[in-house]
Amino acid sequence: MRQARGGVAALALCAAWAAHATPGFAEVRAHWQPSDTVLLDRAGQPIHRLRSDDRARRGAWVALVDVSPALRQAVLFSEDRRFYEHSGVDWRAVSAAAWANLWNTRTRGASTLTMQLAGLLDDDLRQSASGRSLGQKARQAVLATRLEGSWRKDQILEAYLNLVPFRGELVGIDALSRTLFDKAPHGLQESEAAIAAALLRAPNARAPAVARRACGVLRTLRGDAGADCVALDMQVEAVLGRRAFAASEGVAPHAARRLLAAAPAAGAPATLHSTIDGALQRLALQTLQRQVRELHGRNVADGAVVVLDNASGDVLAWVGSTGPLSAAAEVDGVTAPRQAGSTLKPFLYAQAIAERRLTAASLLDDSPEQLQTASGLYIPQNYDRQFKGHVSVRVALAASLNVPAVRTLVMVSPDAFARQLNALGIALKHGGDHYGYSLALGSAEVSLLQLTNAFRALANGGQLCPVRLQATSLPPSLRQGRGGGRAASDSSDGPPTPALSPEGRESKPPAQAGASTCTPAIDPAAAFIVGDILSDPNARSRTFGTDSVLATRAWTAVKTGTSKDMRDNWAVGYSQRYTVGVWLGNASGAAMWDVSGTSGAAPVWATLMRHLHAHAPSRPPAPPAGVVRRAVRFGDPLEAARDEWFLPGTEQALFAIDSEAAGARPASAAARIEPKSVNQPAVPARITAPADGTILALDPDIPPARQRLTLLADAGGAAPASLRWWIGARAIGHGPRAQWLPWPGRHVVQLRDASGRVHDERRLEVRGAAVKPAAARTPR
């Protein structure tokens, strides 16, 4: 009698425990956490799915109506045929199991589908390798009964299908269907449903065992005990080896990973809201991939694109790689450091203009220059190995001439320029002295995000503002395409969202999105003048021609760049509303073959700008306070007269070189020149370039015709036409200027007259491997 009372008390405790622990269906569904995080665009539409939990693979929660009827029937036939008849515990099955255990007979077992669900809902009821204890089984039965009392049958079946482990790491019917059958659960056919049901009983069984059990389920479903299951054997072999549910899928993997890394450590969210424009993201990816395919024969495999809203800093597109075209698709080209090339020149000229060292009309000498540095002579060259003579700053910047940029850096100094770049959010690894004069030509490494945001500072009047990738849920009024970046950023629907520093790191959340987080980085007048230069198609025609891909119908300002050995190619520019940055190259650092500023990244940039302004105008910025416009003219035959912008106090009407003709010298100075005596010996001619001891390195990735060395001489008292250039026993040219195609070795360059007398000589060395054969390059 005492034992009976003890048993009743134990059951009462189990009932009390179960009543306290029984969750509701809505609660279970609300706590369901997929193993993937879905990235949403600014309109709330999914653009990427990324796995965020490595412990198990769980898909989305699937409603019972979205599960294949064949699968529902197969599960019930396999696990609980009296599911709709019992109240949680199938006492008939319990009796049969007890009798079978008494006689050591194998049976299906007495655990109902509801009892299995109870074991899934409570960790204390999880079955161990040795099975459940008697107490666990009692609590399981009680909880199953309680579930039947508070849940509907369809809710029990739905929860079971979503929570049950199937095979390996796969939990729930969505993960199983997408991984093994590559389809949604509603599309499972009879044979596939039979395989899924077979896995419930033995999740990790070998293929033959799964096939045998699946065959039994399939025969039950069809009501045909003699059904042929030969085809099912092959199907099981194929299914169990399939892994169709990719860990990452969509068009924005790098943006998704960046936002997921910034998510709270407590758990990955099911969704992340981004500022990305889904349609623009897809276009940017497709355009980049198309361009890389076209350049595949020129050894180009990688690229990246970022598009920023000028007003808000919202990232509208973030394409980190070319995806399947790349051997390093996981590398994020938006944040990876690469050599900047000529894209740093706008900031150099802006600094020189702001410091009143130069104006847009100032003349710079584009001629051979040899600068003494701690490591030897630094001899800058233009891309086409040609020199333009005296050019204005406008032409020097727009046409991307290298020698004038280096002369400008000499005025500004590398250290000062490095500080200017840091103020623009371009964090250099070293100080200016480390890079020396090559910093003018972009020898420092920058990221595409840093560089694009620095150009956005030019668009915003010199103000450097953070960018942001994460957005709050947007109000319905803004869920129509781009809808206005400023409105989206200024929305008060939700808390402030984290901003990204130019390096791509999360910065402190601003009090509100807007100018309060911005800092002055460049003088606004200088930023305006540089933008006006970068938008001038006539000024860039010296290098890019008059029909360049950089010319757009809407107003834009753009700069291209190519790093040393053609390892990086850039196009970065802005319109009234957007800033677009494009990088092309190879993640491995391999050099491209014959890819110029306009044949590489520029077509991608131009396509995106045309799309952005297909239905929206882009007008030139209004001149800020502190700039004046004046008519200027140049000494003949330098440049045509034009109107030019100046900082107040720097304007002048005439820009000319007064040292090229004797008549230009003031009379007082001419009077001090002693007339040359008839008997005075003539001044010998001399070589002015190259310097003695020059070492040249041939680049195998640059066409031979582009690597000619310019030889220059001062005729002195000799007739210029009588000068002859010799290298060893070979005559290579005549006159005060000649072009020589170097070949490896040590050489002596001699300047002789018509009679063969040597006036001057220079010793130089040429190093480098042979130039790539023509078959390895594609003609420009």
Side-chain angles (χ1 to χ4, degrees), residues 118-205:
L120 296 172
L121 292 176
D122 195 313
D123 290 338
D124 291 337
L125 299 181
R126 298 280 180 179
Q127 185 172 353
S128 64
S130 58
R132 292 186 177 92
S133 65
L134 183 60
Q136 284 180 314
K137 290 181 178 179
R139 293 197 302 271
Q140 184 183 21
V142 173
L143 180 55
T145 304
R146 299 294 302 179
L147 287 174
E148 291 276 355
S150 58
W151 290 27
R152 301 192 309 268
K153 286 286 188 179
D154 62 314
Q155 292 176 332
I156 293 172
L157 182 56
E158 178 178 320
Y160 174 79
L161 290 174
N162 280 282
L163 298 176
V164 66
F166 277 95
R167 185 175 183 85
E169 65 173 2
L170 302 178
V171 175
I173 189 59
D174 189 62
L176 174 83
S177 299
R178 298 186 185 279
T179 301
L180 300 189
F181 303 109
D182 195 18
K183 59 175 65 174
H186 69 265
L188 294 182
Q189 301 173 353
E190 277 189 341
S191 60
E192 295 165 334
I195 296 172
L199 291 173
L200 290 173
R201 186 61 57 88
N204 298 313

Side-chain angles (χ1 to χ4, degrees), residues 279-526:
L280 182 62
Q281 177 78 10
R282 292 183 182 90
L283 175 66
L285 177 59
Q286 293 167 4
T287 305
L288 180 67
Q289 289 177 335
R290 182 171 60 249
Q291 178 69 353
V292 169
R293 286 191 185 98
E294 292 180 359
L295 296 175
H296 180 72
R298 303 190 191 186
N299 198 37
V300 181
D302 295 293
V305 175
V306 66
V307 180
L308 305 177
D309 182 286
N310 290 343
S312 66
D314 284 355
V315 177
L316 302 180
W318 182 304
V319 179
S321 78
T322 57
L325 304 182
S326 172
E330 299 301 310
V331 176
D332 189 351
V334 173
T335 57
R338 308 290 302 200
Q339 277 198 338
S342 294
T343 56
L344 298 185
K345 290 176 183 175
F347 311 117
L348 173 61
Y349 284 107
Q351 183 176 6
I353 291 172
E355 294 175 357
R356 297 173 180 259
R357 300 177 186 274
L358 293 173
T359 71
S362 297
L363 295 176
L364 292 170
D365 187 11
D366 182 31
S367 63
E369 178 66 286
Q370 301 174 4
L371 301 173
Q372 187 68 45
T373 69
S375 57
L377 287 176
Y378 178 61
I379 307 176
Q381 297 275 356
N382 292 322
Y383 174 79
D384 58 5
R385 298 302 195 271
Q386 302 295 320
F387 297 97
K388 310 298 189 294
H390 284 90
V391 295
S392 67
V393 166
R394 176 173 290 272
V395 170
L397 173 56
S400 197
L401 302 180
N402 287 344
V403 176
V406 174
R407 294 185 190 276
T408 302
L409 184 59
V410 172
M411 303 180 198
V412 172
S413 85
D415 261 349
F417 184 40
R419 289 193 296 270
Q420 172 67 83
L421 293 176
N422 283 318
L424 283 161
I426 299 176
L428 302 183
K429 292 183 179 180
H430 309 283
D433 285 343
H434 172 84
Y435 304 101
Y437 297 122
S438 67
L439 186 58
L441 309 184
S443 60
E445 291 184 334
V446 304
S447 74
L448 180 61
L449 183 63
Q450 291 175 334
L451 189 60
T452 306
N453 198 46
F455 271 77
R456 175 176 163 243
L458 291 175
N460 287 338
Q463 293 287 313
L464 178 70
C465 308
V467 300
R468 72 169 192 168
L469 182 59
Q470 184 175 0
T472 57
S473 300
L474 300 179
S477 62
L478 293 178
R479 296 189 177 184
Q480 302 293 332
R482 279 179 292 281
R486 182 179 295 278
S489 296
D490 291 346
S491 169
S492 59
D493 184 28
T497 56
L500 295 179
S501 69
E503 295 81 10
R505 297 190 298 268
E506 184 178 325
S507 62
K508 294 180 179 179
Q512 61 179 12
S516 61
T517 59
C518 301
T519 57
I522 299 179
D523 179 80

